[in-house]
Amino acid sequence: MRTILKIGLAVISDGMILLVRKRGGEHLILPGGKPEGDESDIETLERELVEELGCGVERGSLAFSGCFGDQAAGMNATRVFVRLYTGSLEGTPRPLSEIEELYWHPVRNSDDPALAPSLRNFILPSLAQSQSTAGHEVGERPSQFID
């Protein structure tokens, strides 16, 4: 079985998480991507967010949330491991490069079949649990990103 490592960013506000859909893709996924060369997780996020969303990431807001593995979205016989961070963006995200759509999705709704398996099965349930115990959310308000 093939494995893929991705670094993902959960931007959460008002109970909603920012997700993206790649051009021609069916699944909603986290912004982020695969490390190149010897990039650190943070360097990967910084590069990918500029490429995909035209935004930076507020380094001081980043918190590691864990590593989650599951079947890769739309790829049989491939397992993805997502090193997940929560944090805030610098700037207004817009779909660039291979990203076709931005979507604010309720953190507490992990039943949506459009979600990538790792989001549906592990990441959203974990984030929803963290929010209930922490009593606060990370990120900018979604209304700041809507034109």
Side-chain angles (χ1 to χ4, degrees):
M1 179 173 279
R2 181 175 170 227
T3 61
I4 298 171
L5 172 65
K6 289 190 145 189
I7 314 303
L9 180 66
V11 178
I12 302 170
S13 183
D14 296 332
M16 307 292 274
I17 184 170
L18 179 64
L19 301 177
V20 300
R21 188 174 52 78
K22 287 188 175 186
R23 189 165 282 106
E26 298 175 18
H27 293 94
L28 296 171
I29 61 173
L30 290 165
K34 299 175 200 167
E36 292 182 358
D38 60 354
E39 279 182 329
S40 70
D41 290 359
I42 306 309
E43 291 167 335
T44 300
L45 281 177
E46 289 174 331
R47 177 183 49 78
E48 288 284 349
L49 293 172
V50 167
E51 291 173 7
E52 294 180 349
L53 305 177
C55 289
V57 61
E58 290 182 19
R59 276 189 173 222
S61 72
L62 291 174
F64 182 68
S65 295
C67 187
F68 301 86
D70 206 327
Q71 177 180 334
M75 301 174 77
N76 294 331
T78 303
R79 189 158 175 83
V80 65
F81 290 93
V82 179
R83 289 185 48 83
L84 179 67
Y85 290 80
T86 57
S88 299
L89 296 175
E90 292 177 342
T92 302
R94 62 193 185 283
L96 299 173
S97 186
E98 75 269 13
I99 302 303
E100 186 166 11
E101 178 182 23
L102 305 181
Y103 184 76
W104 285 98
H105 189 278
V107 172
R108 296 193 192 293
N109 177 8
S110 59
D111 295 332
D112 187 338
L115 294 169
S118 60
L119 278 165
R120 185 175 54 247
N121 298 328
F122 299 105
I123 295 172
L124 287 182
S126 175
L127 290 170
Q129 178 64 32
S130 295
Q131 283 187 343
S132 0
T133 58
H136 70 320
E137 297 169 318
V138 179
E140 302 296 327
R141 295 196 180 283
S143 60
Q144 291 178 310
F145 300 132
I146 299 171
D147 294 330

